[in-house]
Amino acid sequence: MDFKGVGRLSTEFDVLVVSNFGRGHWLATDLADKRLKVGLVDLSERFARWTPEDREGPFGFYKSEGLQATQLERLTEEDYTESCPQGFVVWLKSGPIETQGPLAQFSFRKEGFPEAYIQYLNQAENLKSDARQNLLGQIRDDDFSKTWLVHLCHQLASTRFHLNSRGSQQGAPLPVFADHMFRRASRRGFADSLAWCESKGVQVFQGAEILDLGIQDRRLESMEVRASINGVLRAKQVVWALTSKETSRLDSRFLEKLYQSDAVEPTWSWVRFRYSIQDNGATQSLPPRFVLLQDIYSPWTHENMMLVQRTVRSDQYDVWVRIPSLQRFQQAYLDQLSKTMLGLIRERLPETPCELLAPPQEYLYPENELGPSCYPVYEPSDLEQLHTKNLKNVFWDGPEYWERSDWNFQLSHHAELSQQVQAQLEKEKPR
C-alpha cells in the first residue's frame, strides 16, 4: 500500500478493536490487562445522528452471577445507573408479572407457570448444556399458555427472529431473576467510557475515520486512520465489531475487502418513540422499565409488544417497538404506528393525559444520513448467507454474531472472544 501524506504515524499493536456504539470497550481493556498493546478505533462519529438513548438500546442489564466485576465496572463508569425494584416486569391486560418483590410468586401462580419453568429462567446461566436442553424439550412440547414467558425471555433481546412459540429455539434466556438495571446514557458518558479505556492502558483513536485497509496473504495487515493523529495502524490481530451494513456504509470498498457476500439486511429493527405521560398517582406506581404486552398469542412485534422506560423526567417515557426494517423510514407508517401505540397506552392509563413528544430518528433523517439500525434483528436463514473473507487474523463481532443484543450477552461473548484472541496470539508467537 502506498499511503501519501505527512505528519502520519505508524503504530504497532497486538490487537486492534474496531468499535462502534461502545462495542468492545470491555474487550479492549481485558486484553490490555493481559499486558497486550491494544488500540481502539472508535467510529461512532461516522454514525453521529444516533442519540445516546438510541445507542444504549431498550434492554438494560442484569446483575447476574455471570457478570464479572470488571464488566460491571464498564457498565457503571459512564453515566449513572438505576435499578428496577420489581425486576423484569411484563404488564399484561390481566395485570403485571414481576420477577422481584412481594407480587412475584403470586403473579406466577396466577398465570399458571409451572415451577420447573420458573426455575429454568432462574438458573439458566448455571445449567449445564444437557440439563438445559432437557428442560427446553419439555417447554417446547408443553402448552404455550404455560411456556410463553420462557419463549419471551429468549426472544426479547434476540438478534434472530423466531415466532412466539419457537422463541426458545436459540440461545439462552435473559437472566430476568437477577437485579434489573438500566443506564442513563449521555454523550458525556460515552466520552467517559473512552477515557476509562485509556485509563486501563488502551490507546484510543476517538472519532476516527478509516481511509483504507491493507490486506496481504489473507491477513488484515494495516489500517490507515484519520483521527487526532493520522497514521497507519498495524496489528497482529483485529476484532471487527461492525455489521456488514455498517461496514458498507463506511466504504463499499471495505465490504468487498472483508466479505465474500453482500451485506445482510435485517428483517426487523427496534425503533424508539418518546411520549409525554402526565405524572400522577397512576404513573407513580409504574415500574421504571416494563414490557407492555397486549396479546401473548399475537406476534411480538409492532404495537403488540412495547418496551417502556421512564426517562430522567418523571412525565416522559421512551417506548421501543420492533418493526419491519422496510418500514423504518416511511413517515406515514410511523405516524399511524405512533397513534396506535398512544391509543393502547391510554387504554392502560385511562385517566392520564399522554401525547407523542418525539418520533424515531428514522422519521427525522433519511437512511443515507442516519445509517443502519443500532439494534437489528435478522432472519436466521439470511445470516446463513453472510460470508466473510477467510482472513487469518480477524475476529468478527457485532449483532450478526451475537445471540442477543443485551449487555449481558455482549459481555459474555467478549469474555470468550478475549480468550480466543489471546490463544491465537500465543499460537503465532515465534518459537
Side-chain angles (χ1 to χ4, degrees), residues 141-154:
D141 290 339
D142 207 345
D143 189 270
F144 183 71
S145 64
K146 299 178 181 179
T147 64
W148 67 266
L149 183 62
V150 174
H151 294 297
L152 179 68
C153 292
H154 274 264

Side-chain angles (χ1 to χ4, degrees), residues 189-412:
F190 183 75
D192 289 343
S193 181
L194 293 173
W196 176 76
C197 290
E198 289 184 321
S199 75
K200 299 290 186 178
V202 178
Q203 186 170 341
V204 175
F205 297 88
Q206 184 174 358
E209 179 182 3
I210 299 177
L211 302 179
D212 206 350
L213 300 174
I215 296 176
Q216 187 173 359
D217 297 328
R218 290 174 48 213
R219 296 181 68 88
L220 179 49
E221 293 283 359
S222 59
M223 191 178 304
E224 186 184 15
V225 171
R226 177 187 294 149
S228 54
I229 299 176
N230 295 341
V232 177
L233 310 181
R234 304 180 189 277
K236 298 172 184 174
Q237 302 295 324
V238 176
V239 177
W240 192 267
L242 275 64
T243 66
S244 55
K245 287 287 291 182
E246 291 164 347
T247 301
S248 178
R249 176 178 167 80
L250 292 181
D251 195 316
S252 60
R253 294 176 302 141
F254 300 165
L255 188 73
E256 295 172 1
K257 289 187 175 187
L258 298 176
Y259 293 84
Q260 297 182 36
S261 60
D262 292 334
V264 174
E265 297 282 352
T267 308
W268 302 89
S269 298
W270 287 96
V271 297
R272 180 182 60 88
F273 296 78
R274 178 163 290 184
Y275 287 91
S276 169
I277 305 177
Q278 186 183 81
D279 188 9
N280 58 24
T283 57
Q284 287 170 10
S285 64
L286 293 176
R289 299 187 85 252
F290 56 92
V291 180
L292 189 60
L293 189 55
Q294 304 298 323
D295 178 13
I296 63 171
Y297 297 100
S298 296
W300 293 332
T301 60
H302 305 83
E303 71 277 2
N304 187 51
M305 185 176 72
M306 297 181 266
L307 276 59
V308 184
Q309 177 176 302
R310 187 183 297 132
T311 70
V312 291
R313 289 192 51 167
S314 60
D315 62 344
Q316 293 185 9
Y317 293 77
D318 284 333
V319 183
W320 292 79
V321 288
R322 185 165 54 179
I323 67 169
S325 295
L326 291 174
Q327 307 275 24
R328 283 177 65 206
F329 296 93
Q330 295 189 18
Q331 292 185 338
Y333 169 83
L334 295 174
D335 276 330
Q336 183 56 52
L337 179 61
S338 70
K339 293 174 183 176
T340 304
M341 292 164 60
L342 184 60
L344 293 172
I345 294 170
R346 286 171 172 166
E347 284 182 11
R348 297 294 181 99
L349 299 166
E351 303 298 326
T352 302
C354 51
E355 62 181 356
L356 177 70
L357 278 183
Q361 294 294 92
E362 285 90 341
Y363 191 94
L364 304 174
Y365 301 103
E367 184 172 11
N368 63 353
E369 193 172 339
L370 185 63
S373 169
C374 297
Y375 288 89
V377 182
Y378 303 91
E379 289 292 338
S381 58
D382 289 341
L383 284 180
E384 292 173 1
Q385 305 306 312
L386 179 66
H387 300 290
T388 58
K389 293 286 179 68
N390 187 20
L391 300 175
K392 299 176 183 178
N393 68 328
V394 178
F395 291 83
W396 307 96
D397 188 30
E400 291 164 332
Y401 298 91
W402 302 337
E403 291 178 354
R404 302 193 318 254
S405 288
D406 60 285
W407 279 113
N408 291 74
F409 183 84
Q410 287 187 47
L411 292 167
S412 172

Side-chain angles (χ1 to χ4, degrees), residues 38-88:
V38 182
L40 179 71
V41 181
D42 169 44
L43 300 173
S44 299
E45 289 189 13
R46 308 278 75 78
F47 305 85
R49 291 298 189 186
W50 289 113
T51 70
E53 292 87 351
D54 290 306
R55 294 181 179 186
E56 178 63 18
F59 306 118
F61 69 95
Y62 300 84
K63 293 177 68 175
S64 67
E65 295 179 9
L67 202 61
Q68 300 179 30
T70 54
Q71 293 174 336
L72 184 59
E73 180 184 358
R74 184 265 177 272
L75 292 173
T76 57
E77 44 70 38
E78 294 184 34
D79 296 289
Y80 68 94
T81 61
E82 292 188 23
S83 64
C84 302
Q86 302 90 341
F88 175 75

